Amino acid sequence: RRAWAAALEVTFEPSRQVRFYAESQVGKVEDAVSGADFGTEAIFGFGIGAEASLPIGPLRLEYGANSANRDRIDLLLGTRF
């Protein structure tokens, strides 16, 4: 099986409490185990988000979409495990 992927992230921090970021990813898996999961074409994805440091923990708002017409919005409070 062959696969390739690339990613790029740009971050802007105007202060210690606020951070903005944009991310882009592209990848392809050849001879995938499941065509329903991967398909045969390269998929491009991107996301943007913002993070604020609050006394109760970080608050993050993120939006992501890809060339397979899937998108989602996440609102997260607290740190990642």
Side-chain angles (χ1 to χ4, degrees), residues 55-74:
I56 59 172
L59 176 67
R60 296 175 33 177
L61 177 64
E62 300 178 335
Y63 171 77
N66 66 24
S67 59
N69 295 325
R70 297 178 71 187
D71 62 349
R72 73 188 250 183
I73 296 174
D74 290 328

Side-chain angles (χ1 to χ4, degrees), residues 7-37:
L8 172 69
E9 182 176 354
V10 178
T11 303
F12 172 65
E13 295 187 37
S15 71
R16 289 179 48 175
Q17 288 80 23
V18 178
R19 179 170 73 107
F20 298 98
Y21 49 91
E23 186 172 320
S24 177
Q25 298 176 348
V26 64
K28 182 177 180 181
V29 176
E30 296 178 8
D31 300 325
V33 174
S34 172
D37 291 335

